Amino acid sequence: MKTTFDPLAQRYPSQRYPIYARGGMVNCSSPQAASAGLEILRRGGNAMDAAVAAAATLTVVEPTANGIGSDAFALVWSEKDRRLFGLNASGPAPMLASAERVLSDGNDCGGKMPRRGWTPVTVPGAPGAWAELAGRFGRLPLAEDLAPAVRYAREGYPCAPNLAHIWQQDLRRYQAELTGPAFAGWFRTFAPEGRAPEAGDMIRLPDHAATLEAIGSTDAAAFYTGDIARRIDAESRKFGGYLRYEDLAAFEAKWVEPIRVNYRGYEVCEIPPNGQGIVALMALNILKEFDFPRRDNAETCHRQLEAIKMAFADAFHYVTDPAHMTIDYQSLLDPAYGAMRAREMGDTSRIWSHAVPPRSGTVYLCCADGEGNMVSFIQSNYMGFGSGIVVDGTGVSLQNRGADFSLDPAAANCLQPGKRSYHTIIPGFLLKDGAPVGPFGVMGAYMQPQGHVQVVMNYVDFHMDPQQALDAPRWQWMRDGSVTVETRFDSQLARELRRRGHDVRVELSTPSFGRGQMIVRLDNGVLVGGTESRTDSNIACF
């Protein structure tokens, strides 16, 4: 039967309450991915296994935002070790790639990195992240963790409303932009009948299934040193790309020490650069100098916006692969530096430049098990489907992280061989008195640190539960200097921000404000979860 309703015609505001559970919880932007994580928990896996299962499934059930060729980051609380670990699985630029070569080959777009095609493709890190996370902390073989994703890819799943909407938008854009034989694999994989799926259509991705099976059975070796790596190398050579087998074979996901700031007694934790989590921490390091008795007033929003603008000004100037940074990134989190920046803030909007500190496109999910382990995990192709490249016959949709490199030799983030770019995807985690509060995250390019600041303040300053912390209307500073707000944002507050000099505009599209998840663990071990109301999110728990 053909339906007569439109699942995107949301006429009435709905209410979501936080979800409580004790045995385990998996929060994802797709119900199938959340179900996959829960399935693995019930099979005897832990939160780390569940995160891998959910992440792999998301490459199948939300290909508009991530794929097997994604990058990934994770923050992992190990109850056994009683500490937080960071995992950076972002891939470096190919060894043949450099700013000079891109320009001399004519592969640039007016002196900038292109967004599509083989040029912006860097080494994918997601399969390495799955293998590393499962191998170090998981209980089950990687093949078992990936089994639900393989099943969804082979047997199919029904298309969700927001997924269909985004897929249709991307297809229209790609039909106009992605010309030439290099992109044929994308159209064969994601629009085999010349159209994008509608809500309720069954989607099957058999090439994904075969590739995920190969990754699972070899602990990702097939992707980096096996047949898949050779196929990626062959297509890159065929279409003038810089990525080679040797780049893939040399890849290693890196365990890193999380960075953190103390915000009103909570430790807010992020992955260090090359990720942009430091932007959220810099903003909170400034905002802790002020008191915020109320959330929905002009003073609070103005100071949040100015702090974010200051933080981005510093990040865009300094942040890149830490091996290439001109300063110690920890100096950007110095409390004295945050206090100095706070003193610079006035009552009206300003354009900020970087300062000198003291010397010294994504899918997000979170998981927790009944033993105390918790994972904050994020992976992304960037800019929707990424580069627009799908390696034919593999289902591997390659990310385009290299698009964020600069071709200016004077820029901190200038493209160099083997260098990791400034990276937008960031998982978050809260600690208090050395104990885990829980994972949180908000996806969406440069919205992510802004979402982190708003969610943390909603929880810490304004005492909201995880669901309300996510549901609260959001603002977003744009790189053109404007500020967009959701339609639910208070109109009087928007007018007051305009009077303070902010170029405020109402944005009708809710996905642009990010899609988040959050889990908080109570003292008795009970888990409290919130999930994103702006998309097809779901919580699976027991």
Side-chain angles (χ1 to χ4, degrees):
M1 181 189 78
K2 187 172 179 62
T3 62
T4 58
F5 59 82
D6 178 358
L8 291 174
Q10 299 294 302
R11 295 176 175 83
Y12 312 110
S14 62
Q15 287 185 315
R16 290 192 181 192
Y17 292 93
I19 301 299
Y20 288 73
R22 181 61 181 88
M25 181 177 286
V26 185
N27 302 23
C28 294
S29 51
S30 155
Q32 287 84 8
S35 176
L38 183 63
E39 177 182 334
I40 292 301
L41 286 176
R42 290 192 177 279
R43 286 188 189 179
N46 58 19
M48 295 71 158
D49 292 301
V52 171
T57 300
L58 281 166
T59 70
V60 177
V61 301
E62 201 173 337
T64 54
N66 76 132
I68 300 171
S70 285
D71 278 350
F73 293 90
L75 288 167
V76 181
W77 175 266
S78 167
E79 186 65 15
K80 176 183 176 182
D81 298 290
R82 293 297 298 171
R83 61 167 288 202
L84 189 68
F85 297 84
L87 181 63
N88 182 331
S90 63
M95 294 306 293
L96 292 177
S98 67
E100 296 80 9
R101 181 159 184 179
V102 169
L103 291 167
S104 66
D105 289 348
N107 289 334
D108 63 306
C109 289
K112 296 182 179 180
M113 285 289 288
R115 294 186 171 193
R116 311 294 179 192
W118 277 97
T119 299
V121 174
T122 58
V123 179
W130 305 339
E132 192 68 30
L133 189 54
R136 180 167 184 176
F137 291 110
R139 288 208 187 102
L140 304 179
L142 182 60
E144 192 167 350
D145 286 345
L146 301 193
V150 172
R151 187 177 67 247
Y152 281 120
R154 182 163 289 141
E155 297 178 6
Y157 63 94
C159 187
N162 282 286
L163 176 63
H165 176 65
I166 295 169
W167 205 320
Q168 290 159 11
Q169 282 187 324
D170 285 348
L171 176 60
R172 287 193 292 270
R173 183 167 67 251
Y174 290 178
Q175 285 172 329
E177 295 178 3
L178 304 188
T179 58
F183 302 107
W186 187 92
F187 289 98
R188 279 194 290 268
T189 302
F190 295 117
E193 298 176 2
R195 67 176 187 88
E198 298 181 0
D201 284 353
M202 288 297 293
I203 299 168
R204 294 177 178 85
L205 299 169
D207 291 342
H208 283 65
T211 295
L212 288 168
E213 278 186 325
I215 290 170
S217 65
T218 63
D219 287 333
F223 187 87
Y224 292 104
T225 58
D227 182 60
I228 300 167
R230 285 186 281 271
R231 295 176 77 167
I232 293 172
D233 176 283
E235 285 215 14
S236 179
R237 292 173 187 269
K238 179 179 179 180
F239 295 112
Y242 302 118
L243 188 63
R244 295 291 183 267
Y245 177 93
E246 291 77 11
D247 297 309
L248 294 159
F251 175 76
E252 292 182 358
K254 296 181 180 295
W255 290 100
V256 296
E257 183 62 31
I259 54 176
R260 58 196 76 193
V261 297
N262 187 295
Y263 184 76
R264 310 200 198 287
Y266 288 83
E267 283 187 276
V268 186
C269 306
E270 303 275 357
I271 293 287
N274 55 315
Q276 68 170 348
I278 197 169
V279 174
L281 298 187
M282 285 190 285
L284 291 169
N285 196 36
I286 296 167
L287 291 165
K288 70 182 182 182
E289 299 297 318
F290 303 99
D291 293 323
F292 298 104
R294 291 178 51 221
R295 178 187 185 275
D296 297 315
N297 72 359
E299 183 73 7
T300 297
C301 288
H302 166 70
R303 296 205 183 281
Q304 288 176 322
L305 285 163
E306 293 300 284
I308 276 289
K309 289 158 60 178
M310 288 176 172
F312 269 123
D314 283 341
F316 290 149
H317 184 78
Y318 292 117
V319 173
T320 185
D321 188 323
H324 297 266
M325 286 180 65
T326 58
I327 63 169
D328 177 1
Y329 57 75
Q330 291 286 358
S331 66
L332 295 167
L333 303 178
D334 190 310
Y337 185 55
M340 182 195 83
R341 293 295 253 172
R343 289 193 297 271
E344 294 175 343
M345 194 183 298
D347 295 329
T348 57
S349 174
R350 280 181 54 185
I351 297 174
W352 297 97
S353 180
H354 69 280
V356 180
R359 297 294 180 188
S360 32
T362 306
V363 291
Y364 173 78
L365 65 97
C366 52
C367 303
D369 59 32
E371 302 167 28
N373 301 302
M374 309 179 89
V375 181
S376 182
F377 191 99
I378 195 163
Q379 68 186 18
S380 172
N381 264 4
Y382 200 36
M383 300 181 186
F385 281 94
S387 62
I389 299 294
V390 175
V391 181
D392 205 25
T394 68
V396 176
S397 176
L398 292 169
Q399 41 86 334
N400 59 335
R401 279 294 159 187
D404 264 350
F405 277 121
S406 171
L407 297 179
D408 178 0
N413 200 39
C414 182
L415 172 63
Q416 295 181 35
K419 183 177 180 180
R420 286 175 164 83
S421 174
Y422 178 108
H423 220 292
T424 60
I425 64 174
I426 53 174
F429 205 98
L430 285 176
L431 301 173
K432 189 171 177 62
D433 301 325
V437 176
F440 71 94
V442 176
M443 55 170 283
Y446 297 102
M447 177 63 201
Q448 292 183 57
Q450 305 184 62
H452 281 212
V453 167
Q454 291 174 73
V455 168
V456 167
M457 292 185 68
N458 288 345
Y459 180 77
V460 174
D461 290 88
F462 309 121
H463 312 294
M464 296 183 183
D465 66 61
Q467 188 60 56
Q468 288 290 292
L470 292 168
D471 283 348
R474 295 177 189 155
W475 48 260
Q476 179 178 190
W477 174 77
M478 310 298 286
R479 292 189 70 174
D480 65 3
S482 64
V483 175
T484 61
V485 297
E486 294 186 280
T487 55
R488 297 182 295 116
F489 196 87
D490 183 83
S491 59
Q492 178 59 34
L493 178 54
R495 284 191 287 271
E496 290 180 19
L497 289 172
R498 270 187 172 273
R499 285 196 290 271
R500 289 176 178 250
H502 297 282
D503 181 13
V504 180
R505 307 171 189 178
V506 176
E507 171 59 57
L508 300 179
S509 173
T510 57
S512 66
F513 291 92
R515 298 179 289 170
Q517 314 290 337
M518 188 175 189
I519 298 174
V520 168
R521 190 170 74 181
L522 305 182
D523 291 340
N524 64 356
V526 168
L527 305 168
V528 187
T531 191
E532 185 59 73
S533 57
R534 296 167 179 83
T535 191
D536 309 309
S537 286
N538 194 61
I539 292 176
C541 60
F542 68 103

